[in-house]
Amino acid sequence: MTDTPIIRFQNVSKRYGDLTVLDHFDFEVMSGEKVTLIGPSGSGKSTVLRILMTLEPVQEGVVELDGLSYRQPGRHGPFHASARHLHQIRSRVGMVFQNFNLFPHMSVLRNITEAPVAVLGLSKADARARAHELLEMVGLADKAQAFPAQLSGGQKQRVAIARALAMRPRVLLFDEPTSALDPELVGEVQEVIRRLAHEHDLTMLLVTHEMRFAREISDRVCFFDQGRIVEQGPPGEIMINPAQPRTRAFLGAYLPETSTG
């Protein structure tokens, strides 16, 4: 982990009509840092990830990833940036969605190789070699020719992680990656994310309601409420003895050992 922010939000506001989701929001993530975002539904956590993936524009403020601003002077339209500039940003970030988002008509291998060939310009041979390495890493070496309908939810999510990694991102985003899984499948996906966190120099941003897992893999935990970070710090500090009453109330539902005094 370095002291250089790879992600920066400065005075960012995001609104949907009259609903303000992020309210003059400031946030930085250092290169190599593993940060978990927790908080009630609708508090703005997933919106942060969607903004970083250029899936949502902002109304105000500055967003930067790896030194690239999401706005360019003199540009108009919802993103205030050219398609080429947004492509540069997207090439640096990967996202794992809660509902997998695999292409059902493509094999596992093609799901993983399609974007590296089309976006990064890799040869098909290089993309396939990389895909096989990643499938080995996520424990699915024997599933390259399978189709998503032939996989369990946990296997689909592991393929989705391999697909995101195939783009060689600088930042990897996880939006509640285990929330759509049956309880007995959660552990296999968590194990892959755990290995990524402990063994790789990736910057990771994770939205989850799995509090014990967040405590295990995070360098920092941020508690969101009503579009702001109410409290943040090392996971042992935030989850065992939070300073803010709102954080204590939220965590009390998940972690009985959280201090209520």
Side-chain angles (χ1 to χ4, degrees), residues 66-198:
D66 203 17
L68 295 173
S69 174
Y70 283 55
R71 293 175 176 236
Q72 291 178 295
R75 288 280 176 180
H76 302 287
F79 286 100
H80 303 277
S82 67
R84 181 178 179 182
H85 186 73
L86 292 175
H87 176 83
Q88 285 185 293
I89 293 171
R90 291 182 189 122
S91 70
R92 289 162 164 80
V93 58
M95 186 162 176
V96 178
F97 299 86
Q98 59 182 315
N99 291 314
F100 325 127
N101 286 17
L102 300 177
F103 296 112
H105 62 289
M106 294 184 183
S107 68
V108 164
L109 186 65
R110 192 175 167 201
N111 261 285
I112 297 172
T113 59
E114 191 79 0
V117 170
V119 178
L120 300 182
L122 265 63
S123 70
K124 289 184 178 180
D126 286 345
R128 282 195 295 267
R130 172 73 171 154
H132 283 297
E133 289 176 9
L134 290 168
L135 285 171
E136 180 77 34
M137 189 192 78
V138 300
L140 294 173
D142 61 336
K143 298 296 184 182
Q145 301 307 321
F147 284 80
Q150 299 170 303
L151 304 178
S152 70
Q155 290 171 332
K156 289 176 186 177
Q157 195 60 293
R158 286 186 279 158
V159 171
I161 292 170
R163 181 180 61 180
L165 290 170
M167 294 297 289
R168 297 183 174 138
R170 297 265 287 130
V171 174
L172 193 55
L173 311 174
F174 295 90
D175 189 10
E176 300 199 35
T178 60
S179 66
L181 301 179
D182 292 333
E184 66 269 20
L185 301 177
V186 169
E188 65 187 56
V189 173
Q190 288 182 343
E191 178 57 27
V192 172
I193 300 172
R194 186 182 292 112
R195 293 208 323 269
L196 287 174
H198 293 162

Side-chain angles (χ1 to χ4, degrees), residues 14 19-25 38-45 223-230 246:
K14 171 63 183 174
L19 176 65
T20 299
V21 181
L22 296 176
D23 184 18
H24 300 287
F25 178 70
I38 65 172
S41 298
S43 58
K45 311 179 302 295
F223 174 67
F224 275 62
D225 194 35
Q226 299 182 346
R228 294 174 180 265
I229 295 176
V230 174
R246 184 69 187 90

